[in-house]
Amino acid sequence: AERSPPPLPLPPTSRAPHNASVPLLCWHWDGSLVARGLLSARFSLPATSFLILPSRRWIGILVLYAVHKGQFNCPGGGLLHSYLLVLLVLLAAIICALSALVYVSMQGTISNPGPRKSLPKLLYTRLLLYFPEFIWAIVGAVWVSDSSVHCEKTVINAILGTVIASWVIIIFTIIGVLIVFDPLGGKKTFYLTDGVHRNLESSQSGQLLFNVKNTATRVWEKRIRLMCCCIVQDDDHRVAFTSIAELFRNYFSDTDLVPSDIAAGLILLHQEQDKMESCPKEPEEVLCHSPSSLVTDGLDFELENAAHYMLFAAAAYGWPYYVYTNPFTALCKLNGDCCGSRPTDSDITGSDRHNFHFGSILKITGLQYRDFIHISFHNKIYEIPFFVALDHKKEAIVVAVRGTLSFEDILTDLSADCEDLTLEDVLENGFVHKGITQAANYIYQKLINDGILNQAFTIAPEYKLVIVGHSLGGGTASILAIMLRNSFPTLKCYAFSPPGGLLSKTLADYTKHFIVSVILGKDLVARLSMPNMEDLKRRIVRIVANCNRPKYQILLRGCWYEVFGGDPDNFPTELDGRNQDALTQPLLAEESLMVHRSPSYNALDGESHLHSPPQYPHLYLPGKIIHIVEECSSKRLCSSDIKYTASWSNETVFSSILISPKMITDHMPDVVLNALNSLSQEHGSCISCLSGLVSAVISSNVDG
């Protein structure tokens, strides 16, 4: 079926996306601007959410008008009366336009916009209504501030609140447009695949491609700068902005999906995944945690250590973690204990107003002031907080690195380019995550150049070195352990929920001797890497493009399934009835949602060229991996009485992103700590039971 009028001429190697036609700027109602003519308008539920706000606003103004109807007989009251009446009419027109948008956008399917062909006219109508709305907001501000108006205070305050609400909505709308506005328009369809080699200097289409890519990078840079406007920006920030902008440009340039498409795709993938979970796994995928292996594999020993050191990793978050886990008592305890002067025994750098951070670390770890060698709360891009403390229980010098907690940390996470990490006398050409490596190098310089570790080992020379961290802190701790391995051969590292795209295969294998990674359930971060994200994008495109149900049905039923459970829906798709050979070929709808294949996308299919390696190669989790999974619990978020099992796993288990309501909560440090404590307590109770059983057997034998 025809999706749109004949497209504009494209270079021979390009393919028009499914909605490329007249090059006009149109606004997708779920938050993205695209330069396409005929909108496929895949935004039924987001449009509904935008309809709720003006409807509630209209009802509120109507109630306000009815309550104060007889109080406008005052000097200037006619102006206020006229303002409310016109605003009611204007909002009614906006509600009608949005209602029509919602109705039309519910027609058809994601990949079949034919029934929605009248949507652009309705969208332009709504956009035109912004002009009288803006003008009337100015008029209202002038009239309500006019000194000639002498009405009751309650009436003026009510009208003033209405005017302020109008301006807040307008300002947020402008900010949203600035963030999502895409000046590229249909030019993004000129992107070429990596398989085509052209001379950018001499080819007109190649020069256009070069310009479009630069423009796309600048667009993403502008968006990132706007979202990070609250932080001080220096040269490191500018370099990071460019790097992250290129990452987003590479990832989003080859698809024609909007946020609600992605939401629908995630819902469909989750239900499809739940259907497949009952299938038996390959025996070599996971090494079973069987009773016969308890002694030889050291799993219980590592779990007990992990539960202990996870406290330090969680404590590195400071007062936010302590308040989050003790919402009713934390502030009172911190106010009572932490308002004194800073201890002089510890070397503390960075801002810690009222000693809240340090006080929280003390309470979480149970250590004393004198046990801390160095604490850094300094936080910039590539420079993350950490502390060094003496753990007398385990006789260890612990370096704990904080995870993501600020905009600067997010920029460090997203600086996902690869760089070489060459280790003398160990191996060469190991690839690592650039941003996390720079953070590890910052801490390395502090520990070695500032003599922090020398000071620690002077106090406790017989202690061993242990490096721990959660999330970003886990990735940083892993690379820091690699850097310190030659100087401290007996060091140990525990990385809790580290990012998946961290180390190349050679480095990951090398770290199995001294790093233990702990992953809980379907943790998203532990599976995050550019190849995995490309694979997820391909899966979303495939399942969304070939589903024959309207998107609003997918989203509504999906929300019900996620909240209340039940059986996964059996949505009919174009995949039904096709033979196995046909399933390997992309369908028309799937092809229409892909503008071109990105380098990483090609790499997944084994199509990368020998002399053109992908920009984002496969990176893996560090060290040996302990995978903790739930046992005998509900799949819903509100489930209780959760039991866990743990097993040694390998990196291939985390080569695909799993969709689940718990993919975020399984990453949270308090959830990881609770799971480890549960396993540790269970192991302790089992040891007690075995001891009691052995004693009973010995006693019975003696009596016999």
Side-chain angles (χ1 to χ4, degrees), residues 283-297:
E284 63 270 12
E285 281 188 4
V286 179
L287 301 176
C288 293
H289 180 195
S290 58
S292 61
S293 64
L294 291 177
V295 178
T296 58
D297 62 11

Side-chain angles (χ1 to χ4, degrees), residues 3-39:
R3 298 183 56 80
S4 64
L8 294 174
L10 297 177
T13 55
S14 301
R15 181 174 73 250
H18 71 289
N19 55 2
S21 57
V22 184
L24 297 174
L25 285 176
C26 298
W27 190 6
H28 271 269
W29 200 251
D30 49 352
S32 63
L33 278 160
V34 291
R36 310 273 196 261
L38 188 61
L39 289 178

Side-chain angles (χ1 to χ4, degrees), residues 161-331:
T162 303
V163 172
I164 291 175
S166 298
W167 278 107
V168 169
I169 293 171
I170 290 172
I171 290 172
F172 274 98
T173 300
I174 293 173
I175 292 174
V177 169
L178 289 175
I179 292 176
V180 304
F181 180 76
D182 185 2
L184 287 176
K187 291 180 182 178
K188 69 195 297 184
T189 64
F190 288 92
Y191 274 37
L192 304 177
T193 62
D194 256 21
V196 179
H197 300 284
R198 290 177 175 266
N199 186 342
L200 297 183
E201 305 259 337
S202 59
S203 170
Q204 183 178 0
S205 60
Q207 186 61 44
L208 176 59
L209 170 64
F210 181 76
N211 293 336
V212 166
K213 286 187 174 181
N214 280 344
T215 305
T217 302
R218 289 196 299 271
V219 168
W220 279 107
E221 276 192 66
K222 179 197 72 173
R223 293 169 177 170
I224 296 169
R225 289 180 190 278
L226 282 172
M227 289 185 287
C228 299
C229 60
C230 299
I231 62 176
V232 179
Q233 299 178 8
D234 54 20
D235 291 338
D236 286 339
H237 287 85
R238 284 187 281 273
V239 172
F241 289 161
T242 302
S243 173
I244 297 169
E246 289 177 352
L247 182 148
F248 283 137
R249 183 255 293 169
N250 287 333
Y251 187 74
F252 290 107
S253 65
D254 61 345
T255 57
D256 188 20
L257 293 174
V258 294
S260 59
D261 292 343
I262 298 173
L266 293 176
I267 286 172
L268 292 173
L269 284 176
H270 180 213
Q271 297 187 42
E272 188 69 23
Q273 175 185 299
D274 283 353
K275 294 177 188 176
M276 300 295 294
E277 278 189 347
S278 58
C279 298
K281 296 182 179 180
E282 295 295 330
E284 63 270 12
E285 281 188 4
V286 179
L287 301 176
C288 293
H289 180 195
S290 58
S292 61
S293 64
L294 291 177
V295 178
T296 58
D297 62 11
L299 178 60
D300 288 326
F301 172 77
E302 295 293 2
L303 282 173
E304 193 271 332
N305 280 339
H308 175 77
Y309 288 118
M310 182 59 203
L311 271 177
F312 290 82
Y317 285 99
W319 69 261
Y321 175 83
Y322 187 65
V323 172
Y324 174 73
T325 53
N326 302 274
F328 301 110
T329 60
L331 291 177

Side-chain angles (χ1 to χ4, degrees), residues 596-639:
H596 74 95
R597 287 190 172 191
S598 65
S600 299
Y601 188 94
N602 288 334
L604 291 172
D605 292 338
E607 298 173 0
S608 57
H609 301 283
L610 293 176
H611 303 291
S612 302
Q615 182 177 359
Y616 302 102
H618 283 280
L619 298 180
Y620 301 90
L621 288 165
K624 296 193 297 183
I625 303 170
I626 296 177
H627 191 198
I628 302 173
V629 296
E630 292 184 12
E631 182 183 61
C632 302
S633 67
S634 169
K635 295 181 181 178
R636 305 278 67 81
L637 281 170
C638 56
S639 60

